[in-house]
Amino acid sequence: MASDKVMAMRDAVARFVHDGDTVVIEGFTHLICFAAGHEIIRQGRRDLTLARLTPDLIYDQMIAAGCARKLVFSWAGNPGVGSLHAFRRAIEGRRAEAALEIEEYSHFGMVARFAAGAARLPFWPLRNYMGTDLPRANPRIKTVTCPYTGEALATVPALNPSVTIVHAQRADAAGNTQMWGLVGVQKEAAFASQRVIVVVEELVPEEVIRSDPNRTVIPSMIVSAVVVEPWGAHPSYAQGYYDRDNDFYVAWENVSRDPDHLKRYLDDFVYGVPDRAAYLAKQPQVTRLKAKERWCAGVNYGY
Amino acid sequence: MASDKVMAMRDAVARFVHDGDTVVIEGFTHLICFAAGHEIIRQGRRDLTLARLTPDLIYDQMIAAGCARKLVFSWAGNPGVGSLHAFRRAIEGRRAEAALEIEEYSHFGMVARFAAGAARLPFWPLRNYMGTDLPRANPRIKTVTCPYTGEALATVPALNPSVTIVHAQRADAAGNTQMWGLVGVQKEAAFASQRVIVVVEELVPEEVIRSDPNRTVIPSMIVSAVVVEPWGAHPSYAQGYYDRDNDFYVAWENVSRDPDHLKRYLDDFVYGVPDRAAYLAKQPQVTRLKAKERWCAGVNYGY
Amino acid sequence: MAAVAARELRDGEVVFVGIGLPNLACNLARGTHAPRLALIYESGAVGAVPERLPVSIGDPALVTGSLMVCGMADVFQLFLQNGRIEVGFLGGAQVDRYGNINTTVIGPYDRPTVRLPGSGGAAEIAVHARRTLIVAQLNPRAFPERVNFVTSPGHRYAGRTRRELGMPGAGPVKVITDKAVLEGDEVSGEMVLAGLYPGVTVDEVQAGVGWPLARRERLEAVAPPTATELRVLRNVLDPKGLFLKKQSDGKTE
Amino acid sequence: MAAVAARELRDGEVVFVGIGLPNLACNLARGTHAPRLALIYESGAVGAVPERLPVSIGDPALVTGSLMVCGMADVFQLFLQNGRIEVGFLGGAQVDRYGNINTTVIGPYDRPTVRLPGSGGAAEIAVHARRTLIVAQLNPRAFPERVNFVTSPGHRYAGRTRRELGMPGAGPVKVITDKAVLEGDEVSGEMVLAGLYPGVTVDEVQAGVGWPLARRERLEAVAPPTATELRVLRNVLDPKGLFLKKQSDGKTE
């Protein structure tokens, strides 16, 4: 029964990502699900509110492809390289017709929004933003008075996405999902979301999950679909599976700076392929990114 | 340098637990550090505020020994068995001279107090306590108005202990600590605390910790002392090391019901032994509690 | 009681499990009609498959082989407050006319005659679980018209309804006792008689309850444990009779 | 600049590390006078020992062999807001008279000439780290009297001090540039000239700063990188010259 959840990316996106949705593809540098972003572009989704701490290359591509109505974020750049030029073109010297709406926080603010969403609280308090222009730029940053100390604390509103897409190293067929390395804010984003698509490097038997329950980050009960998509996070990385394709990140600076070049990229690598397998067939360099082995020390769960 | 932190329980308690302190020995059923509680009793600490979700047998013993001025808690019983009778004697039909002060929450309230303390916020919001008598019994449960929805939410004040004692399976000499199985609220309690004593089943080389960094719950920077005390959680348990001594929990019902019997227990097993090794020498039954092997599946941290 | 409680659980539901009878009922349901029941313990174990009858809510057998173990901040915030729990099981020293439960004190709070353990996670389970089931032995001490202290909210508090008070869950839909089943009335909020165990009369039930007990128009005849239920209980779940023995002083299991 | 920044770190301190020059400076300090420096990255890696120069703040090399990896809610709540971070490193497109930093926009927020990446974790680092160090190349575009947008707070905002605004940390104690070191003045809150690199004049520094620059009574002579510092930088930390090459357009490293 539970294995009804295992499906192709095409089907998962068709069923669970709709025009107008608030979509979160999370992952801090690590485990960013480019495979899902590409499929959303291919299926021509429109009017999406894209939310994510670091929009990264995948949201730059989705903005360029016309999927986004609004971006909710805290750091919009090409990490370690430079700019997201499709994003910048949509914002700089903004004309009425260009309108990509933005809603901007700091990382802590975005993390707090997901934490509130995951706990189903309407807001989250944080000690922040005094002496900054961020609350002027974003009136959704407010304050609350502590009932014990009388102190004013900043607040951010809960973020409850329509759908969150999490890439992970492994899950079972029901969607019990394990991640390691940088785990960012994925747990909070998933629990905050109405629907969750889990995309994994490996589908594993339930017994593997059960052998190490403290490693489980997302439980099956909140998962709508499980997609098995090896290398699905390329050009980002998956700890224990493959390294970051830094050359791609560096090359993106020139690709995204030129709208025609960016369009050619989308034509070749997104619209021009039917699925992730075809994309990978065009990326022979990935074999040299395969991870070396650095296994953890085990722990005993017996009693 | 870091190994200056490794010390005997006697020294850790002498240096870091003082009369009048707010002391937390956390652990939900699992990893309750009886070894530390016994040493605190032996050293005759007084006027302590003991805080913990589930006072359990160890706080019953500390109350009986006269260490406690006040108890902060959410469930005071002998789990799966019955009552904590020393606690009940100090509370029921309370006369002025008997005064054990209490401050009472639910589990969620206590968890939220530690979460606020760990985040150094003065309060934590939760949707709770409407329709209960708990706020009448404890005026520190207040409300705050959401700046977005206007909704009234319950609040609890931060709990920032003077010292938190955490029992764990393993740590390195600097205090980087790993736990698995039930992890309760130990991470939050430790981060909320001014001082942290980590008590472990095994001292391991730093490389073991570094082989699985996602398993680390408490980082060395917040740890004051590391005590190596195998079986230090008996009669509670340590997943992967030993099972709960349920016979002891069952027997406590009769021991604690009778003040003289309880006094004899403390004389024999706490005051009458110099340290944990001597206590264990009087517990031959523990060998049958040794854990069987159920090792986890490994994960690769390579790139 | 375990069998009657087990029947209230539907396959695939997410249940917040307490130790003792609720644990037995949940595992009975899993062993009979609800194999995909997802069990969560407030200790943090999710999807537990205990190889022995757990002696406490934090038994190591709940951890070994479970699907997920998380910290208690996650249990209460991400699962319970998040609205993921469909059924919560509660017991109590006292249950009153409106399904309010007392597990805190008998007598005044500041000078109690009997000090009970307190809420634990019960207050928030009663607020947040989409519905709760109460299990308790029927007698007048346990079923006063009004509890001494409301630890876990039922359907009315100071005359106000759950909706008026802002509680997300539906509250105690049933009270399962050893003689009868009571249900929360949608209009009055009172716990009313809904079903009788075989051979039990309405008067016997009224004698165990401290308020004039209203009743449903048609009373359900609560079926005794089936052969399958008894087999699973006795042979699989509790072969040593650890739990059932305690409960079997003449009452239906 | 990396060497000068590294000298600001004391052994045993807990440092919130950004990528690029801060990462280089921190690892230089670890390789020279501060072997027990504890490095935390906002990505969640604590006590990282990268075997290669990390290309981003989330490089897998920061994870492998680190002491702890935690979620970002813990990074910001349990480490940063908790007050555990002693030093925060910040860079910025603009730094002003009071040490306010802009990494958000050049021009008006609603219609920017240049859209910069935004805060990331910088706003909260500037609020909470016990002290912050700013690193930036000295030129008038980068050092206006007033930034276009305050992303990360310095010593004054609308005339109010950090204490008046309720900020826990001490703010930017130093700005390390390629020509001089500025310090936050305890009384005025202004960034004032405190030290000069070898061969740099006060006038040259003033020419790179958009406000009349006050100065300490005695200016420190900033020592050039020692042979040991250069050896660690060039042979151990950045043997391929990945980072130092970019920075070495005639300026002191």
Side-chain angles (χ1 to χ4, degrees):
Chain A
M1 309 263 267
S3 63
D4 291 356
K5 289 187 192 168
V6 179
M7 62 185 77
M9 183 66 84
R10 183 180 295 123
D11 299 324
V13 167
R15 285 181 58 183
F16 297 113
V17 183
H18 313 131
D19 286 352
D21 273 357
T22 295
V23 177
V24 170
I25 304 177
E26 255 305 332
F28 193 82
T29 315
H30 185 212
L31 296 172
I32 302 172
C33 195
F34 279 76
H38 286 183
E39 184 60 28
I40 290 169
I41 293 173
R42 263 195 298 274
Q43 295 194 18
R45 288 292 173 283
R46 288 295 175 267
D47 294 322
L48 302 180
T49 293
L50 297 179
R52 195 180 138 74
L53 273 67
T54 57
D56 205 86
L57 277 49
I58 187 60
Y59 278 14
D60 207 31
Q61 294 173 16
M62 293 170 81
I63 290 166
C67 303
R69 183 184 66 75
K70 180 174 176 179
L71 182 70
V72 183
F73 73 105
S74 46
W75 194 86
N78 180 346
V81 178
S83 289
L84 303 176
H85 291 283
F87 159 72
R88 286 183 57 182
R89 276 192 295 277
I91 293 293
E92 289 177 358
R94 187 197 281 194
R95 298 130 312 190
E97 71 271 24
L100 172 73
E101 195 185 335
I102 62 170
E103 185 177 326
E104 183 170 4
Y105 299 84
S106 64
H107 280 351
F108 190 8
M110 282 295 286
V111 166
R113 293 199 66 193
F114 283 122
R120 301 283 156 168
L121 285 177
F123 77 97
W124 203 256
L126 60 166
R127 190 176 278 114
N128 210 357
Y129 301 133
M130 58 289 260
T132 81
D133 285 335
L134 284 160
R136 284 200 326 193
N138 180 354
R140 301 196 77 197
I141 297 173
K142 299 192 177 187
T143 59
V144 74
T145 303
C146 171
Y148 304 98
T149 64
E151 178 184 6
L153 293 160
T155 61
V156 291
L159 177 50
N160 289 105
S162 317
V163 58
T164 289
I165 298 165
V166 171
H167 197 91
Q169 283 102 336
R170 66 189 185 196
D172 65 19
N176 295 294
T177 304
Q178 300 190 330
M179 297 168 55
W180 56 97
L182 302 178
V183 293
V185 72
Q186 281 96 309
K187 179 177 72 176
E188 291 84 356
F191 272 95
S193 198
Q194 291 166 49
R195 303 182 291 279
V196 175
I197 300 174
V198 165
V199 185
V200 289
E201 292 294 320
E202 278 193 88
L203 193 71
V204 295
E206 192 179 296
E207 302 83 68
V208 173
I209 303 295
R210 290 193 184 274
S211 82
D212 196 358
N214 286 93
R215 189 88 71 191
T216 305
V217 173
I218 297 173
S220 59
M221 72 179 71
I222 69 167
V223 174
S224 305
V226 178
V227 177
V228 185
E229 202 76 280
W231 296 88
H234 175 271
S236 92
Y237 72 99
Q239 195 93 31
Y241 290 77
Y242 46 90
D243 197 357
R244 191 170 186 256
D245 191 348
N246 202 52
D247 294 345
F248 187 93
Y249 275 81
V250 171
W252 188 253
E253 175 67 15
N254 285 331
V255 176
S256 75
R257 193 189 284 275
D258 174 358
D260 292 333
H261 196 166
L262 206 169
K263 185 176 175 307
R264 282 203 306 281
Y265 174 82
L266 293 178
D267 285 343
D268 285 354
F269 292 96
V270 182
Y271 296 116
V273 296
D275 56 21
R276 193 67 178 174
Y279 166 90
L280 283 170
K282 300 177 96 165
Q283 311 277 355
Q285 81 281 12
V286 301
T287 51
R288 69 171 167 75
L289 297 170
K290 203 163 157 32
K292 294 182 223 31
E293 306 214 344
R294 287 284 293 269
W295 291 86
C296 70
V299 304
N300 181 14
Y301 277 94
Y303 59 87
Chain B
M1 307 262 268
S3 62
D4 290 359
K5 289 187 191 168
V6 179
M7 62 185 79
M9 182 67 86
R10 183 180 295 123
D11 299 324
V13 167
R15 284 181 57 183
F16 298 113
V17 184
H18 313 130
D19 286 354
D21 274 356
T22 296
V23 176
V24 170
I25 303 177
E26 254 307 329
F28 194 82
T29 314
H30 184 212
L31 295 171
I32 303 173
C33 196
F34 280 75
H38 285 182
E39 184 60 29
I40 290 169
I41 294 173
R42 263 194 298 275
Q43 295 195 18
R45 288 291 172 285
R46 287 295 175 270
D47 294 320
L48 302 181
T49 294
L50 296 179
R52 199 182 134 73
L53 273 68
T54 56
D56 204 86
L57 277 49
I58 187 59
Y59 279 15
D60 208 33
Q61 293 174 17
M62 293 169 81
I63 291 166
C67 303
R69 183 183 66 76
K70 180 173 176 179
L71 182 70
V72 182
F73 72 105
S74 46
W75 195 85
N78 180 346
V81 179
S83 290
L84 303 175
H85 291 282
F87 160 73
R88 286 182 58 182
R89 276 192 296 277
I91 293 292
E92 289 175 358
R94 187 199 280 197
R95 298 133 310 191
E97 71 272 22
L100 172 72
E101 195 185 335
I102 61 169
E103 184 176 325
E104 183 169 6
Y105 298 84
S106 65
H107 281 349
F108 191 8
M110 282 295 284
V111 166
R113 292 199 65 192
F114 282 122
R120 301 282 157 170
L121 285 177
F123 76 97
W124 204 256
L126 60 167
R127 192 176 276 114
N128 210 356
Y129 301 132
M130 59 288 262
T132 79
D133 284 335
L134 283 161
R136 284 201 327 194
N138 180 356
R140 302 198 76 197
I141 298 173
K142 300 190 176 188
T143 59
V144 75
T145 304
C146 172
Y148 303 98
T149 63
E151 178 185 7
L153 293 160
T155 61
V156 292
L159 177 50
N160 288 105
S162 317
V163 58
T164 289
I165 298 166
V166 171
H167 198 91
Q169 283 101 336
R170 67 190 184 196
D172 66 19
N176 294 294
T177 304
Q178 300 190 330
M179 297 168 54
W180 57 95
L182 302 178
V183 293
V185 72
Q186 280 96 311
K187 179 176 71 177
E188 291 83 357
F191 272 95
S193 197
Q194 292 167 49
R195 302 182 291 278
V196 175
I197 300 173
V198 164
V199 185
V200 289
E201 292 295 319
E202 276 194 270
L203 192 71
V204 295
E206 192 179 294
E207 300 83 68
V208 172
I209 303 296
R210 289 192 184 274
S211 83
D212 196 357
N214 286 93
R215 190 88 73 188
T216 305
V217 174
I218 297 174
S220 59
M221 72 180 72
I222 69 167
V223 174
S224 305
V226 178
V227 176
V228 186
E229 201 77 280
W231 296 87
H234 175 272
S236 91
Y237 73 99
Q239 195 92 32
Y241 290 78
Y242 46 91
D243 197 358
R244 190 169 188 259
D245 191 347
N246 202 49
D247 293 345
F248 186 93
Y249 275 83
V250 171
W252 188 253
E253 175 66 16
N254 285 331
V255 175
S256 75
R257 192 188 285 276
D258 173 358
D260 292 334
H261 195 166
L262 207 171
K263 185 176 175 311
R264 281 201 308 279
Y265 174 81
L266 293 178
D267 284 344
D268 285 354
F269 291 96
V270 183
Y271 297 115
V273 296
D275 56 22
R276 193 67 177 175
Y279 166 90
L280 283 170
K282 299 177 97 164
Q283 311 276 356
Q285 82 282 12
V286 299
T287 52
R288 70 171 166 73
L289 298 170
K290 203 164 158 30
K292 294 182 223 27
E293 305 215 344
R294 285 285 291 270
W295 291 86
C296 69
V299 304
N300 182 13
Y301 276 94
Y303 60 87
Chain C
M1 283 170 73
V4 177
R7 291 173 205 152
E8 295 296 325
L9 303 169
R10 299 162 204 152
D11 198 20
E13 284 191 318
V14 181
V15 187
F16 211 87
V17 192
I19 220 60
L21 194 135
N23 183 66
L24 208 60
C26 291
N27 281 294
L28 175 60
R30 286 187 65 216
T32 53
H33 66 284
R36 289 171 56 241
L37 205 64
L39 309 187
I40 300 191
Y41 293 80
E42 71 183 8
S43 55
V46 181
V49 284
E51 288 174 357
R52 67 182 182 198
L53 198 67
V55 290
S56 94
I57 205 171
D59 195 290
L62 298 172
V63 166
T64 314
S66 67
L67 285 168
M68 179 177 187
V69 172
C70 63
M72 293 181 78
D74 287 355
V75 169
F76 289 108
Q77 295 187 118
L78 305 192
F79 287 93
L80 188 58
Q81 189 170 258
N82 187 292
R84 302 286 176 175
I85 307 298
E86 282 157 316
V87 187
F89 261 110
L90 297 169
Q94 294 183 329
V95 181
D96 75 11
R97 186 166 188 159
Y98 293 105
N100 297 299
I101 299 175
N102 174 17
T103 54
T104 302
V105 284
I106 304 297
Y109 183 78
D110 288 333
R111 209 184 166 89
T113 317
V114 180
R115 175 64 224 201
L116 303 165
S119 164
E124 40 267 7
I125 292 170
V127 168
H128 285 284
R130 293 195 211 157
R131 67 183 196 275
T132 55
L133 300 172
I134 301 176
V135 285
Q137 306 276 340
L138 196 76
N139 68 64
R141 273 206 328 279
F143 283 84
E145 172 150 22
R146 196 167 172 170
V147 291
N148 291 164
F149 187 98
V150 181
T151 313
S152 308
H155 292 292
R156 290 287 187 286
Y157 183 82
R160 300 177 70 198
T161 67
R162 292 179 67 89
R163 289 287 157 267
E164 288 166 352
L165 292 163
M167 281 188 259
V173 293
K174 297 211 178 179
V175 181
I176 293 151
T177 76
D178 50 327
K179 291 198 174 72
V181 173
L182 314 185
E183 287 181 6
D185 185 77
E186 297 72 13
V187 178
S188 69
E190 283 188 29
M191 303 313 298
V192 303
L193 182 60
L196 291 170
Y197 281 40
V200 177
T201 66
V202 172
D203 286 350
E204 277 177 79
V205 178
Q206 178 64 72
V209 168
W211 67 90
L213 190 66
R215 63 174 102 155
R216 296 281 190 215
E217 255 174 62
R218 277 195 54 196
L219 291 185
E220 187 202 351
V222 177
T226 65
T228 305
E229 286 166 345
L230 285 176
R231 185 179 45 76
V232 173
L233 279 171
R234 290 184 176 147
N235 301 352
V236 182
L237 296 175
D238 191 17
K240 293 186 194 157
L242 286 176
F243 185 78
L244 294 172
K245 199 157 38 184
K246 291 189 208 160
Q247 300 290 317
S248 66
D249 44 350
K251 285 146 198 151
T252 310
E253 277 152 0
Chain D
M1 284 170 75
V4 177
R7 292 174 204 151
E8 295 296 324
L9 304 169
R10 299 163 205 151
D11 198 21
E13 284 190 317
V14 180
V15 187
F16 211 85
V17 191
I19 218 63
L21 194 136
N23 183 65
L24 208 60
C26 291
N27 281 294
L28 176 59
R30 287 186 66 217
T32 53
H33 66 283
R36 290 170 57 240
L37 205 64
L39 309 187
I40 301 191
Y41 294 79
E42 72 185 5
S43 54
V46 181
V49 284
E51 288 175 357
R52 67 183 183 198
L53 198 67
V55 290
S56 95
I57 205 169
D59 195 289
L62 298 173
V63 166
T64 315
S66 67
L67 284 168
M68 179 175 186
V69 172
C70 63
M72 292 181 78
D74 286 355
V75 169
F76 289 109
Q77 295 187 120
L78 305 191
F79 286 93
L80 189 58
Q81 188 170 259
N82 185 293
R84 301 286 177 176
I85 307 298
E86 283 158 313
V87 187
F89 261 108
L90 296 170
Q94 294 183 328
V95 182
D96 75 11
R97 187 168 188 158
Y98 294 105
N100 296 299
I101 299 175
N102 174 19
T103 54
T104 302
V105 284
I106 304 295
Y109 183 79
D110 288 334
R111 206 184 169 89
T113 317
V114 181
R115 174 64 222 202
L116 302 166
S119 164
E124 40 267 9
I125 293 170
V127 168
H128 285 284
R130 292 196 210 155
R131 67 181 195 277
T132 54
L133 300 171
I134 302 177
V135 284
Q137 306 275 339
L138 196 76
N139 69 63
R141 276 205 327 279
F143 283 82
E145 173 150 22
R146 197 167 171 169
V147 292
N148 291 164
F149 187 100
V150 181
T151 314
S152 308
H155 292 292
R156 290 286 187 288
Y157 184 82
R160 299 178 72 199
T161 66
R162 294 179 66 91
R163 289 287 156 267
E164 286 165 356
L165 292 161
M167 281 188 260
V173 293
K174 295 209 178 178
V175 182
I176 293 152
T177 76
D178 51 328
K179 291 196 174 72
V181 173
L182 314 185
E183 287 181 7
D185 184 77
E186 296 73 15
V187 178
S188 69
E190 284 188 30
M191 303 313 297
V192 304
L193 181 61
L196 291 170
Y197 281 41
V200 176
T201 66
V202 172
D203 286 350
E204 278 178 79
V205 179
Q206 177 64 71
V209 168
W211 67 90
L213 190 66
R215 64 174 102 153
R216 295 283 191 212
E217 253 174 66
R218 278 193 53 193
L219 292 185
E220 190 201 350
V222 176
T226 64
T228 305
E229 285 166 346
L230 286 175
R231 185 178 47 74
V232 173
L233 279 171
R234 291 184 174 145
N235 301 352
V236 181
L237 295 176
D238 191 16
K240 294 186 194 156
L242 286 177
F243 185 79
L244 294 173
K245 199 158 37 186
K246 290 190 211 162
Q247 298 292 318
S248 67
D249 45 353
K251 284 149 199 150
T252 310
E253 277 154 359

